[in-house]
Amino acid sequence: MDWYENYKERLTHVYAAAERTIAGFPAPLNQVGLAYANKFHPVKHDKGQNFICMLLPYWMKDVAGITDEQCDKLALTNVYLMLYYFIQDDVMDDGPASDVKEKLALGNLLYSEMLSISRTLFPSHSSYWEYYAKYKRVWASSVVNESSNNYFLADPIQIAHKAGPVKIASSGALLLGGKEKLIPTTDEAVDIALMTLQMADDWVDWKKDMQECSYNSLIAMIEASLQPDAPITEDIVSTYIYVRCCMNEYVEVARSQHMRLISLNSQLPELENYNQYILDHLTQTAESIESNRERMKKGGLNYFFEKQGR
């Protein structure tokens, strides 16, 4: 995990700067904001895989030819952007709630901080703002239309678009380094990593997403195997996962996209390693399910003793 470990110190520094700013927000939004930020602290809660938004500027440093200070500013911009969009997602998913007023107010303050830092890096005539507008439009379309258009079946890469605004860090880095021509290839490379991350999240969250009627790529794939208009239940999904081992098919989608990522020759080895890391976890999950199924076929009692270590 060099793609993460190499930047822990810088991530700690950048996130501390964000927390100092949030602490200066008017009460009670300062405390609400700090509690919210703490949930996604990239070092304190060392999960590694969920922090592409902060790591992306550092992965871009060599290919873009930018400074450490510029990387830090882009990372800080994405901290505020990340928290803003997480709040948007919470408000959309939770519906009417007692704290919606605080969340929306906090989101606006975070968004303002993102704009303030961006303006120090990019003048109003910079194409940076055009790219951000594009990523934001794609995000809006994705969150509204993903279920009706069944993005994962139509084109798996489209499930990355909900996280599309993250790409403003990579595009911003290339613009600062005068490498705008690399943006299309880099966008595609980042989208593949975001797709793999979303697939991993959908595997972990499929029960929760089913209960909340949220779009989930794994459930969408399984549902496509059923008869038209056939109801889908938690038992059916579990059967497809643990008996029919549909995770093998699911992982194959991620694996084929990883090969596409490598073929892009994006000159972003840490992004490729990050994507491989997530793919490895998905692969290990599928292999474990397959292995357990094979043990069960040999006999439930033998399986029980093996699980007990006897």
Side-chain angles (χ1 to χ4, degrees), residues 177-189:
K179 306 286 183 62
E180 185 172 3
K181 65 180 181 180
L182 298 180
I183 288 179
T185 298
T186 302
D187 272 3
E188 186 175 355

Side-chain angles (χ1 to χ4, degrees), residues 153-308:
L153 298 182
D155 178 11
I157 209 71
Q158 290 189 69
I159 67 170
H161 292 168
K162 286 193 299 185
V166 164
K167 293 184 290 187
I168 200 57
S170 51
S171 294
L174 292 171
L175 290 170
L176 288 173
K179 306 286 183 62
E180 185 172 3
K181 65 180 181 180
L182 298 180
I183 288 179
T185 298
T186 302
D187 272 3
E188 186 175 355
V190 175
D191 273 341
I192 291 172
L194 293 173
M195 181 212 73
T196 310
L197 176 59
Q198 186 61 55
M199 290 179 67
D201 286 346
D202 285 352
W203 152 245
V204 172
D205 295 337
W206 73 263
K207 287 185 179 181
K208 175 175 175 286
D209 288 341
M210 176 167 272
Q211 292 170 358
E212 297 177 353
C213 297
S214 299
Y215 184 78
N216 181 291
S217 59
L218 178 58
I219 295 174
M221 185 189 75
I222 293 171
E223 191 168 19
S225 301
L226 306 177
Q227 292 295 321
D229 300 322
I232 185 166
T233 65
E234 187 172 312
D235 285 343
I236 289 173
V237 175
S238 292
T239 297
Y240 268 81
I241 292 173
Y242 297 106
V243 178
R244 300 194 179 188
C245 294
C246 73
M247 283 295 289
N248 294 326
E249 178 185 352
Y250 191 64
V251 170
E252 189 55 39
V253 174
R255 184 176 292 112
S256 65
Q257 290 294 335
H258 183 70
M259 297 307 297
R260 171 61 183 166
L261 172 58
I262 293 173
S263 72
L264 289 173
N265 192 26
S266 62
Q267 303 175 62
L268 297 171
E270 288 168 314
L271 179 69
E272 292 180 10
N273 291 339
Y274 165 82
N275 196 66
Q276 183 69 63
Y277 172 82
I278 304 173
L279 175 58
D280 286 346
H281 276 266
L282 280 172
T283 301
Q284 290 162 12
T285 297
E287 290 174 348
S288 177
I289 292 172
E290 177 72 29
S291 177
N292 288 340
R293 188 177 76 97
E294 289 300 316
R295 290 193 185 98
M296 287 294 289
K297 284 170 63 177
K298 294 177 182 177
L301 189 58
N302 287 340
Y303 175 74
F304 172 78
F305 284 135
E306 286 183 24
K307 293 293 283 184
Q308 298 300 314

